[in-house]
Amino acid sequence: MRRKLFLSTFAVILVTLALSMLSVNLVFKRQFTTYVTKTTESSISQLPERLSSIYTNNGNHWDQVSLEEMSHYLPMGTQITLKTPEDKIITILNNPMAEMMQKSMMGMGMNYSIDEWKTQTLTIKGPQGNTIAKAEVRYPSNARLLNPDDISFVTAVYRSLLLAGLVALIIGLLLSLWTSNRLVKPLRHLTYAVKRVGLGHLDEKVLISSHDEVGELANAFNSMADDLKSQENLRRQFTVDIVHELRTPLTSLQSYIEAFQDGVLPPNEENLSALSEEIDRLVSLSSDLKDLNIAEIGKLHPQLQPVNLLSIIEKVIHNLSPLIQEKKIELTTKLPPESVMLLADERLLTRLFYNLIHNAYKYTEKEGSIKVELLYHNKFAEISIEDTGIGIPEDDLSFIFERFYRAEKSRARETGGTGIGLALVKQILLLHNGTIDVKSTVGKGTTFTVSLPLEKEQK
Ligand code: ADP
């Protein structure tokens, strides 16, 4: 990465330099050469006057020395053929410097040969307005830089451009080194941390406070490590809980069997049914665990289809009525006469209401009462299950949806609870975008209120 950044900076600077040289070259070709041509033409326009004054100052005579002196001031590359009005050549004038310049330029490998010319024929008049001579002027149409001042100017521009480019190159490379260091360093930290997490060190954190993409990546990494850690803790806790839950009924079974073997207890109906109850607990624990585990790891895919909430609740009540009646609990319902449709998994919703109503039955003393109510409006259905049971202590309320949590454990054990029912209720509601609320007073009763989105709102 560092090398790539380095190379790309290098390339960018080189391209910029080449482009600026090219554009300077173009500008010179267009602007500067027109400027040079214009200067040449303006000094040519002054020629008739100058030549005429040379003629008159020398007593109406063409003096070769004065003419040659003037030729030093001719623009580079300009040639004058001075002729009499009768076309007889008087002299040919050139700037003597031009030839020298051209030679030395060519010696330096620069092509300054002139191949396109412009010509002008100027009439030189005497003081009385009579024609004294004709000057045929030939000058480069595409004025080249033959003037030493012009050439040194252009060379200076090129040189300073090159120098600026070199300075830019050095600064750019240093900057890219600095930037790549800044970029690469946190990435190295991250790579190290990822490797450590891969080896199981889930406490690994990266301390990057920058607010850019790398900072975001570091934050994402840290929260991923946190998630992994809490998942790992959950998994550990889950295993500890399961071992604990299994040990109690298994120990109880073991002691029953040992007692039977030692003849301490007779294997009569009463003892055998106690044994069978423990086995029932184990069976229901294992099936609860299976559902809960699948739900928690997100593999419980609900089979969503239109279902009638009313008939689910009625079915659950119907199944539980013999138990409820046996305990002389009064069950009242307040249900709408028409169907309440929603998109849901029927098996899971049945399980949800079974758990809630079965809990109400379990934790309500004999001759208590249970009230099941179903209300619905536009978007939601609200189902409340109210009992006059033992209630849940306030301190326990926030924990009852955690798996294996039982308020007043000894009593729950008597009722054969596994502490998984409400955890499963929570997971089923998560899958259906539903919510649950609980209100309870110890000794008076508990009300669970479930809210489920109706058909249109379901995903
Ligand atoms: P369990 O199998 O023990 O009933 P749950 O997850 O269904 O497990 O419930 C967790 C705990 O919440 C129970 O052990 C019980 O203490 C308390 N609880 C649940 N429902 C009620 C209720 N209707 N009345 C009183 N306590 C309840």
Side-chain angles (χ1 to χ4, degrees), residues 281 288 355-364 385-387 389-393 396 399-409 411-413 415-425 438 440 445-448:
R281 259 176 60 76
D288 279 356
N355 285 1
L356 290 176
I357 301 174
H358 192 246
N359 273 357
Y361 149 77
K362 272 196 300 189
Y363 299 106
T364 301
I385 295 128
E386 188 182 332
D387 64 52
I390 58 170
I392 306 165
D396 291 321
F399 301 108
I400 54 170
F401 294 99
E402 282 178 17
R403 53 172 124 79
F404 301 119
Y405 193 86
R406 298 193 209 99
E408 294 187 64
K409 290 193 189 318
R411 273 167 130 182
R413 183 159 288 286
T415 58
T418 57
I420 289 175
L422 287 182
L424 197 57
V425 163
V438 55
S440 188
T446 308
T447 307
F448 282 95

Side-chain angles (χ1 to χ4, degrees), residues 50 65-76 93-98:
R50 288 172 95 180
V65 179
S66 309
L67 284 172
E68 267 167 25
E69 206 172 282
M70 187 210 77
S71 73
H72 280 90
Y73 301 100
L74 284 177
M76 296 289 164
L93 298 170
N94 269 317
N95 187 327
M97 290 293 287

